[in-house]
Amino acid sequence: MFGTTPGNDRQERVLYITAHPTNLDSSYSMSVGSAFIDAYSKANPKDEIVHLDLYQSDIPEIDANVVEGWKKAGEGKALSVIEQTKLNRLNELVDQFLAADKYIFVNPIWNFSFPPVLKAYIDSICVAGKTFKYVPGKGPVGLLEHKKAVHIQSSGSVLSPGSDFAAFEMGHRHLNVIMKFLGVPSLEGIFVEGMGAASDQAHTIKEKAIRRAREIAKTF
């Protein structure tokens, strides 16, 4: 399932990362994400698209086992089974991320930020020597400068850049900082927002976001 994208003669891998506990029937962000994927697939029928559902995947948190495992590994000591298992899974996640050419993140806003499982996933992909490196006298430098990313986010209030409450929003802003940190040139934002503040306009808001998602998908 590999193919080409417009203006590009190399095969592309797309990682579709969703952080929502429900499906597209009850989720605005998942509905828009599905529309994006459908449009992208039609424009790039041979590209490989891998769906990573964070709520249905093993995403280890950085806990005592992980920290102790890192310490032991650095000292050349044997790891416990649970330490080794968690570190192996973290390595799998970052390697999968590295293997992709494009990223599509989908999530709702909860209390002005994204679900905790997305933060745990972000922690798994920020790995020195793989997705960024430290350069003497310069600090951290991202290694993913040739990647592309889109972020689809839903919220009951209007929180996107330029809105009256943009300062409260910490989901897209956080992810944007992470992408820049890893070297990804830009993070396109598709916002499905305001359904709580104007419930009578919810369907119209979703359809507008779906149209925008389809347009962006064609050239992503």
Side-chain angles (χ1 to χ4, degrees), residues 1 16-18 22 31 37 43 51 54 61 63 69 72 78 83 89 100 126 134 155 158 170 191 195 212:
M1 289 179 60
Y16 179 53
I17 305 155
T18 61
T22 64
S31 294
I37 289 296
H51 182 191
L54 299 184
E61 295 182 351
D63 60 9
K72 287 181 179 178
E83 290 166 353
R89 179 55 180 159
C126 293
Y134 288 106
S155 60
V158 178
M170 293 176 282
F191 303 100
M195 295 79 68
R212 183 162 187 264

Side-chain angles (χ1 to χ4, degrees), residues 1-219:
M1 289 179 60
F2 294 94
T4 59
T5 52
N8 193 346
D9 61 359
R10 67 183 296 274
Q11 297 174 326
E12 303 285 349
R13 299 182 183 185
V14 180
L15 189 56
Y16 179 53
I17 305 155
T18 61
H20 201 294
T22 64
N23 56 36
L24 59 90
D25 293 328
S26 58
S27 164
Y28 288 100
S29 57
M30 292 292 285
S31 294
V32 176
S34 178
F36 186 101
I37 289 296
D38 287 345
Y40 183 89
S41 296
K42 289 176 182 177
N44 309 276
K46 295 182 180 179
D47 278 12
E48 181 187 32
I49 299 174
V50 176
H51 182 191
L52 178 61
D53 182 343
L54 299 184
Y55 273 92
Q56 298 299 320
S57 304
D58 174 20
I59 311 295
E61 295 182 351
I62 307 300
D63 60 9
N65 292 314
V66 172
V67 173
E68 185 65 17
W70 283 337
K71 180 181 177 183
K72 287 181 179 178
E75 296 172 347
K77 297 179 179 178
L79 279 64
S80 69
V81 172
I82 189 169
E83 290 166 353
Q84 189 65 65
T85 298
K86 290 186 177 183
L87 263 59
N88 286 345
R89 179 55 180 159
L90 289 171
N91 286 332
E92 289 174 357
L93 289 169
V94 71
D95 288 344
Q96 180 189 51
F97 193 78
L98 279 168
D101 301 290
K102 301 174 182 178
Y103 312 113
I104 305 163
F105 295 90
V106 180
N107 67 271
I109 275 287
W110 289 352
N111 302 314
F112 304 109
S113 189
F114 40 61
V117 69
L118 182 51
K119 176 57 169 65
Y121 180 70
I122 288 171
D123 288 341
S124 78
I125 61 174
C126 293
V127 180
K130 287 194 172 184
T131 52
F132 74 95
K133 64 181 179 180
Y134 288 106
V135 177
K138 194 173 183 179
V141 175
L143 300 175
L144 309 183
E145 64 271 14
H146 300 301
K147 311 287 188 177
K148 298 178 69 175
V150 164
H151 182 208
I152 299 170
Q153 178 172 276
S154 64
S155 60
S157 301
V158 178
L159 303 172
S160 57
S163 69
D164 292 340
F165 295 96
F168 290 83
E169 195 278 327
M170 293 176 282
H172 181 73
R173 288 195 295 156
H174 186 159
L175 190 57
N176 190 41
V177 167
I178 294 298
M179 290 298 101
K180 288 182 178 178
F181 171 64
L182 299 182
V184 179
S186 64
L187 178 67
E188 182 86 36
I190 300 174
F191 303 100
V192 199
E193 55 184 0
M195 295 79 68
S199 57
D200 59 322
Q201 296 295 313
H203 179 73
T204 300
I205 292 169
K206 182 173 78 170
E207 289 303 310
K208 181 179 179 181
I210 285 175
R211 288 194 298 271
R212 183 162 187 264
R214 286 173 175 161
E215 286 301 312
I216 292 174
K218 292 175 183 178
T219 56

